[in-house]
Amino acid sequence: LKDFNLDAFSSGRITMYLKKLDILENYTMRDYLFGRGFGSDLVSTSEWDWTVKNSHNDFLTYLVENGIPFTIVFLVLMISLLTLSRKVSVFSVCLIGGYLATSLISNGLAVRPLAGYLFFIR
């Protein structure tokens, strides 16, 4: 365990998260409200030297590209999907919970076109 490298184990995600936090440190209030637009999340690192990558975390991507209000509205939308039928099912809780969990460590299901179609069919 002494030689264990969490960044290498996570395929460079820790480095990407730290890069995004550096980007957010330089944001103005306007940037926090509206974001900086599509693609402002993309950076190049030594872990991925062949192309630029996003953060592999939907919440960080939404925050950097679209701002705090969009991120909050998105979370409210995901949670409101549980109460649409007025009866919360185990399937819905697992689906939404799984989506939110995968969004923290990778690009979630809803932002991938084919998986997104299946996700919202429910």
Side-chain angles (χ1 to χ4, degrees), residues 28-40:
T28 63
M29 182 57 86
R30 181 183 173 279
D31 293 332
Y32 278 114
L33 288 175
F34 302 111
R36 288 190 179 168
F38 182 74
S40 60

Side-chain angles (χ1 to χ4, degrees), residues 82-121:
L82 293 173
T83 60
L84 280 178
S85 65
R86 299 185 195 263
K87 180 182 173 188
V88 177
S89 69
V90 173
F91 177 75
S92 296
V93 170
C94 290
L95 187 66
I96 301 298
Y99 169 72
L100 293 174
T102 60
S103 292
L104 284 173
I105 57 174
S106 188
N107 298 341
L109 295 172
V111 297
R112 297 176 186 206
L114 183 58
Y117 295 140
L118 298 175
F119 180 77
F120 287 108
I121 286 175

Side-chain angles (χ1 to χ4, degrees), residues 35-75:
R36 288 190 179 168
F38 182 74
S40 60
D41 180 43
L42 301 175
V43 295
S44 178
T45 67
S46 60
E47 282 77 16
W48 292 305
D49 55 305
W50 51 277
T51 186
V52 293
K53 291 285 185 178
N54 67 1
S55 62
H56 285 66
N57 179 320
D58 287 342
F59 303 113
L60 272 176
T61 299
Y62 295 155
L63 187 61
V64 170
E65 291 183 353
N66 304 309
I68 292 172
F70 178 88
T71 306
I72 292 171
V73 168
F74 177 76
L75 285 171

